[in-house]
């Protein structure tokens, strides 16, 4: 498998490591700049967190989370080739297997199964292809216990595509725009 450009880990114990990136333009890695902004916001929450990298692609976001102190990252992608790429990048960084899980599955199917098994995460990063419909996955996350009570769901999307202010039990707390991309941050609504 020939690989195009590389992506680098920005900070933490794996800082400076260059990851293999997808050879196809159909998979769009989160830019270094947007990842740096994301993790500057997540800094107070990342240490010891259980992190879900949904639509993981190369795994750069999840590996950045591990580099900055996340306790465990679950990488999910429906493409076997992307999951193999994630595994190659984990090996490249020499990340212990106990800190990761790599799952080849459709995001919606994975979330339904995880809900049945009562799995939850402190931080969920969802970065599907920009052409995707976000509704099903947002609904799955917002209506179950997949997101820890004080957890955050972060959705990367096209800047021009506005996501809903509220979805199920979640409300958007902020949207950060950078270039053509945006990050929408969701948390549980406060109970009255």
């Amino acid at each position: 498998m020939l690989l195009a450009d590389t992506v680098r880990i920005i900070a933490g114990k794996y800082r400076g490591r260059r990851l293999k990136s997808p050879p196809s333009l159909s998979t769009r890695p989160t830019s270094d700049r947007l990842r740096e902004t994301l993790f500057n916001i997540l800094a107070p929450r990342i240490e010891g967190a259980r992190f879900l990298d949904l639509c993981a692609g190369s795994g750069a976001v999840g590996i950045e989370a591990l580099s900055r102190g996340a306790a465990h990252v679950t990488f999910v992608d429906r493409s076997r080739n992307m999951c193999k790429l994630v595994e190659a990048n984990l090996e490249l960084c020499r990340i212990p297997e106990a800190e990761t899980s790599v799952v080849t599955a459709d995001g919606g199917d994975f979330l339904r199964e995880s809900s049945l098994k009562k799995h939850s995460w402190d931080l969920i990063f969802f970065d599907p292809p920009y052409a995707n419909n976000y509704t099903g996955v947002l609904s799955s996350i917002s209506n179950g216990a997949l997101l820890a009570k004080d957890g955050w769901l972060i959705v990367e999307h096209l800047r021009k595509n506005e996501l809903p202010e509220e979805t199920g039990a979640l409300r958007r707390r902020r949207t950060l725009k950078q270039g053509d991309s945006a990050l929408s941050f969701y948390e549980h609504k406060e109970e009255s």
Side-chain angles (χ1 to χ4, degrees), residues 83-142:
C83 287
K84 287 179 185 174
L85 181 59
V86 169
E87 289 168 346
N89 283 330
L90 292 170
E91 190 174 309
L92 187 70
C93 293
R94 296 190 177 118
I95 296 172
E97 284 184 32
E99 295 178 15
T100 66
S101 302
V102 180
V103 181
T104 304
D106 171 76
D109 293 342
F110 173 79
L111 293 172
R112 279 186 289 284
E113 187 173 318
S114 295
S115 183
L116 293 172
K117 294 179 178 178
K118 308 274 192 246
H119 290 203
S120 71
W121 290 271
D122 303 304
L123 297 164
I124 298 175
F125 183 75
F126 176 46
D127 180 18
Y130 282 170
N132 271 24
N133 180 345
Y134 293 61
T135 312
V137 169
L138 285 176
S139 178
S140 292
I141 294 170
S142 68

Side-chain angles (χ1 to χ4, degrees), residues 65 76 156 185 188:
V76 178
E156 183 175 342
F185 293 78
H188 287 282

Side-chain angles (χ1 to χ4, degrees), residues 45-64:
R45 300 175 156 268
I46 199 73
E47 188 69 36
R50 292 185 46 77
F51 192 99
L52 173 60
D53 190 352
L54 195 56
C55 300
S58 69
V61 170
I63 293 171
E64 189 79 43

Side-chain angles (χ1 to χ4, degrees), residues 10 29-36 156 178:
I10 299 161
T30 300
S31 72
D32 285 0
R33 185 171 167 231
L34 189 59
R35 240 179 325 111
E36 184 169 17
E156 183 175 342
Q178 195 172 84

Side-chain angles (χ1 to χ4, degrees), residues 5-20:
D5 291 330
T6 57
V7 175
R8 70 181 174 89
I9 298 301
I10 299 161
K13 61 185 169 187
Y14 304 118
R15 180 182 182 176
R17 301 271 173 87
R18 296 219 170 260
L19 305 178
K20 298 174 182 179

